[in-house]
Each structure stands twice: as C-alpha cells, then as structure tokens.
Amino acid sequence: MNQKKLLYIETFGCQMNDRDSEIMRQLLANAFEPTELINDADAIIVNTCSIRGKAEQKAYSLLGALRKRKKEKPELIIAATGCVAQQEGAKMLSRMPHVNLVIGPQNIYQLPDLFVETQRQGKGLVATEMVKSFRIPPFLPSIQDGHPYKRFVTIMQGCNNFCTYCIVPFTRGREISRKPEDILAEVNHLAAGGVKEVTLLGQNVNSYGNDHPVASRTGFAALLRKVAEIKGIERIRFTTSNPNDLSLELMRCFAELDKLCPHFHLPVQSGSNTVLKRMNRKYTIEHYLEKVATLREFCPGIALTTDLIVGFPGETDMDFQATMALIEQVRYHSAFSFKYSNRPPARACDFPDPIPREEKERRLAVLQQRLQEITLERNMEYIHGIHRF
Ligand code: SAH
Ligand code: SF4
Ligand code: F3S
C-alpha cells in the first residue's frame, strides 16, 4: 500500500475558517495525513482571512515565503483558500505563480478534484465562483480528527448586513442557512462520538433560517431548542450575533435552556450613535443597552463580550469618549478591539477620514488598557464567588 502524503494547513481568521480547515483535512484524508511541520509537507493549504489589512498581509507573507520551498520541491502543492483567496481570485495566481490553487470558501468541497486537476494540467487553477443556489453539503465530521469533546458546527454562511467597514459580505456572499435536518444530523453524529460541547457558527446566527420559506422555517431560537434536546450534548454556544437582529425569543433561551452556556458575544463596535449610523449597524446604543438589560434579566451573571472598532472614519474624540463610557456601563467580561482598517470595496473606504494614525493608535491603547482592567475586575468576581454556577 502506498504511504499517505503529508498535509499542512495554516488557518487564519475566525472559527468558520477553523471549521473549513477541518473539512478540508477530511476531504483529503484518503491521500493525505496531517503534519504539524510545514517543511515535511507534500501539500500546504493557507486558509486566509481578509477582515483587516494585517490579516491579509500575514497570508501573503506566508504564501510569499513558500516560493523558495516550491523551488526546492517542485511537486509540492500549495493552495490558498478562505476570504483573501475569494477576494483576489486570479490576481493571486499572477502575483504568486508558485501557488497551485486559489479556492473560495464555497468551493472547498471540490478540493480533491482540484488537487488532481492542477497536477494533471500542470498549471495553477482558480475556483472562486459563488452561486446563489449553493448549499453546504451534508457532510459528517470525522470523530477521530478534531477535539474529542468540543466542536464547531457551521449553521450558515455569508452575511447580508453590509456594515460599511466590513469585507465579509463580499468574501462569503449572501446569507445561506443550512437545513435544520443537516445540522441536527451533524450534532447527533458528534454526540454519538462523545462530543459534549458544540458551538454553532455563522457571521450573523440571529438571522438563521431567514432565507428559508416562511411556512417551513426554523428560526435560530427554535434550532437551539432542538440542539438542546440531543442526548450527550451538555453545552451549547454560538457566535456571532448582530445586536440589531437579536430577538426576545433568543434571549429567552438563556432562561430556559440549561445547556446554553451563560455567555453572549454581542459586538457593539462603537458607543456613539453617529458612528453606529455611519457603520450601518442599524441599532442605537439605547437599543443595545435595552437588550443587555433583558439578557441580564433572563440570565443574571451572564458573561458579555464584544468587539470594538476605534478610529472609524470621522470618529471624533467625543465619539471615542462615548465608547469609553459604554464599556464602563456594560463592564464586558472581555472584548476584542481593533483599529479601523480600510477594506475595499467596503463603503467606509470612501468616507472622509481626517484622524491621524497616531491619534487612532492612542485611542486604541487607552481603550485596551481600560478593557483589560475591567476584565480583571470581572474575573475577580469569580474568585470571590459573587457568581455561583
Ligand atoms: N459577524 C460578526 C463580525 C465578524 S468580523 C459580527 O457582525 O459581529 C469580527 C470583528 O472584526 C468585527 O466585529 C469588527 O469589530 C472587526 N472588524 C471587521 N471589519 C473591520 C475593519 N475593516 N477594521 C477593523 N476591524 C474590523
Ligand atoms: Fe460584517 Fe456586519 Fe456582517 Fe458582521 S454583521 S459579518 S460586521 S457585515
Ligand atoms: Fe476573516 Fe473571512 Fe472569517 S474575513 S473573520 S475568515 S469570514
């Protein structure tokens, strides 16, 4: 029997990319086994993220560094996948001719065929077409390959929100929800294999099912209830939610479903209503705080985490102070905070942006310092037993 070849995957970006990397490993499992050592690999996949300029640069610098490796080992297969691949398509091949394959997130299921084809044709191939009718194939995860107790389950892909700073709607396309039966079959399969915790994934899970016919639609809260009925699953998490789409029905699940972990990641982005409006976030801080209050009513002690962007085009010092005031009010258990990054073709790239880079950096440092202190204070509450679970 032929010995299997070695596959190395480097994953950047969000949990959806983590899950896609798992899928790709599994799709290639007949011919390849995973290695942690990039230098031993016969095939290398760089699963890229495009969310900020820095993430894109990281992907390009790793791909660039592989040029030398490919010279030493011409039979090496190099594939770029994920959001930068989707966005750049053929441009990536002309910029990096040593790359064999450029594959968008919808096209990873063709990976085994593309591996064969690039070798047969002896040239680089691009698979980035996105179709409206695309459905994530019902594909059961491998139990052996992955964490024994906790797993990601992608329930939908894409996003319809078009926040003006964000590249995701351009790289992952419009929202497409998986069928509830496919998701439940996947979770059942994981539970039968000993998995205890699942995290349901989507860029905006609150709108899960909105693209299905109304008559037969299962919304996100209903899906959660069905997942909670699965024997063997003890903990359920999900990410991410746009506050605008957060329903009362979903918040109520925190009071009613014991298996739902008392944590909600609710990205706010800014504490200023003017900035939120220009970001096209569709909620005000007042609405956001109402939702926070309702969540805390349903689930006292719920851990709230968030994402924040500093230095959005035109953000004034007053806008920034509103963000500082918001974090004092909500006291997040933890938060990711980022300096705004231009991501063409996202609309905010055309907004006037008079704020100097140094000022944005100063604001980010001030924000991160205070966020860290609040996280520490929150963690101390657990040590001193204010929360009991
Ligand atoms: N779907 C998620 C967000 C995914 S991106 C949601 O809507 O909440 C993760 C985070 O990256 C965002 O919440 C935002 O804070 C940040 N981000 C997205 N685009 C950005 C940009 N152009 N510059 C800086 N940060 C950005
Ligand atoms: Fe991007 Fe907004 Fe969609 Fe989140 S909701 S993925 S920030 S467009
Ligand atoms: Fe990055 Fe694409 Fe995820 S841009 S955050 S890998 S959806």
Side-chain angles (χ1 to χ4, degrees):
M1 220 171 77
N2 275 348
Q3 225 191 343
K4 282 190 185 172
K5 295 188 163 176
L6 295 176
L7 170 69
Y8 177 91
I9 306 186
E10 183 75 40
T11 309
F12 297 99
C14 63
Q15 292 100 327
M16 314 254 266
N17 263 12
D18 287 333
R19 174 67 190 125
D20 284 351
S21 289
E22 245 176 48
I23 293 174
M24 292 192 282
R25 257 202 325 266
Q26 202 177 337
L27 285 166
L28 294 171
N30 282 337
F32 289 90
E33 59 185 317
T35 176
E36 300 285 311
L37 304 169
I38 195 164
N39 286 333
D40 291 353
D42 302 294
I44 298 171
I45 297 177
V46 183
N47 196 6
T48 62
C49 170
S50 179
I51 201 76
R52 283 167 292 278
K54 239 193 210 160
E56 182 177 339
Q57 281 153 24
K58 272 194 215 158
Y60 267 120
S61 82
L62 175 55
L63 284 165
L66 291 175
R67 194 187 306 263
K68 194 165 150 258
R69 188 82 196 108
K70 177 88 174 181
K71 256 202 196 127
E72 294 159 1
K73 188 175 179 178
E75 69 280 14
L76 173 70
I77 299 179
I78 302 173
T81 60
C83 289
V84 181
Q86 178 64 45
Q87 191 191 314
E88 298 286 282
K91 265 190 275 168
M92 199 170 216
L93 268 194
S94 39
R95 198 168 149 185
M96 308 229 157
H98 60 289
V99 170
N100 296 79
L101 296 168
V102 178
I103 308 173
Q106 269 192 19
N107 299 279
I108 56 171
Y109 299 89
Q110 305 160 30
L111 204 57
D113 292 344
L114 289 166
F115 263 52
V116 172
E117 274 306 298
T118 183
Q119 285 171 300
R120 198 178 64 81
Q121 297 184 26
K123 62 171 192 170
L125 299 175
V126 179
T128 50
E129 53 298 331
M130 284 208 267
V131 288
K132 244 189 170 163
S133 57
F134 175 75
R135 292 286 167 268
I136 295 179
F139 178 80
L140 293 179
S142 146
I143 293 295
Q144 292 75 30
D145 176 20
H147 196 285
Y149 305 122
K150 48 181 192 178
R151 290 294 184 92
F152 294 133
V153 177
T154 301
I155 64 164
M156 62 193 296
Q157 61 146 38
C159 184
N160 294 352
N161 275 331
F162 287 93
C163 303
T164 54
Y165 51 80
C166 186
I167 191 88
V168 171
F170 303 96
T171 60
R172 298 256 170 182
R174 292 300 74 69
E175 283 169 8
I176 300 175
S177 306
R178 294 182 71 192
K179 285 195 216 146
E181 344 30 310
D182 289 353
I183 296 165
L184 296 171
E186 189 166 321
V187 181
N188 265 305
H189 168 78
L190 290 170
V195 170
K196 305 281 175 224
E197 176 177 321
V198 287
T199 303
L200 307 181
L201 297 180
Q203 287 296 350
N204 184 23
V205 291
N206 296 162
S207 52
Y208 170 78
N210 286 358
D211 54 318
H212 291 163
V214 184
S216 58
R217 184 179 294 170
T218 302
F220 184 58
L223 180 73
L224 272 182
R225 289 176 193 277
K226 289 188 178 166
V227 172
E229 282 167 16
I230 295 176
K231 251 180 65 195
I233 295 297
E234 291 172 18
R235 289 165 167 230
I236 305 167
R237 300 178 184 274
F238 59 84
T239 199
T240 304
S241 312
N242 184 310
N244 185 49
D245 301 315
L246 171 54
S247 67
L248 192 64
E249 207 194 342
L250 175 59
M251 294 195 264
R252 196 170 289 125
C253 288
F254 282 90
E256 294 172 5
L257 299 178
D258 288 343
K259 293 181 180 180
L260 199 53
C261 293
H263 167 217
F264 207 111
H265 185 64
L266 197 54
V268 67
Q269 312 302 354
S270 167
S272 152
N273 283 336
T274 5
V275 173
L276 288 174
K277 191 143 194 237
R278 272 187 289 129
M279 286 178 164
N280 191 30
R281 289 294 282 181
K282 305 187 191 102
Y283 52 85
T284 60
I285 282 303
E286 291 71 25
H287 284 134
Y288 182 88
L289 289 173
E290 262 172 42
K291 290 190 174 174
V292 165
T294 313
L295 271 171
R296 286 180 169 157
E297 250 168 60
F298 283 130
C299 182
I302 192 168
L304 293 177
T305 57
T306 203
D307 295 342
L308 292 153
I309 296 177
V310 162
F312 184 77
E315 181 194 67
T316 61
D317 193 52
M318 229 166 79
D319 294 323
F320 175 64
Q321 292 312 327
T323 298
M324 292 301 290
L326 178 79
I327 67 166
E328 295 304 332
Q329 205 169 345
V330 180
R331 295 176 32 79
Y332 292 103
H333 281 68
S334 80
F336 297 107
S337 46
F338 312 100
K339 191 166 72 142
Y340 167 78
S341 162
N342 256 339
R343 305 309 290 137
R347 264 174 48 214
C349 298
D350 300 329
F351 295 178
D353 192 8
I355 305 127
R357 189 171 53 95
E358 301 75 44
E359 172 58 13
K360 292 188 185 195
E361 275 158 13
R362 187 197 66 82
R363 287 180 195 170
L364 186 63
V366 170
L367 177 69
Q368 289 184 335
Q369 168 70 31
R370 188 59 196 133
L371 284 171
Q372 241 180 36
E373 289 164 9
I374 297 174
T375 296
L376 182 64
E377 288 162 23
R378 281 297 198 185
N379 290 347
M380 297 299 270
E381 291 173 7
Y382 291 95
I383 295 173
H384 297 304
I386 295 172
H387 296 304
R388 276 181 296 271
F389 293 111

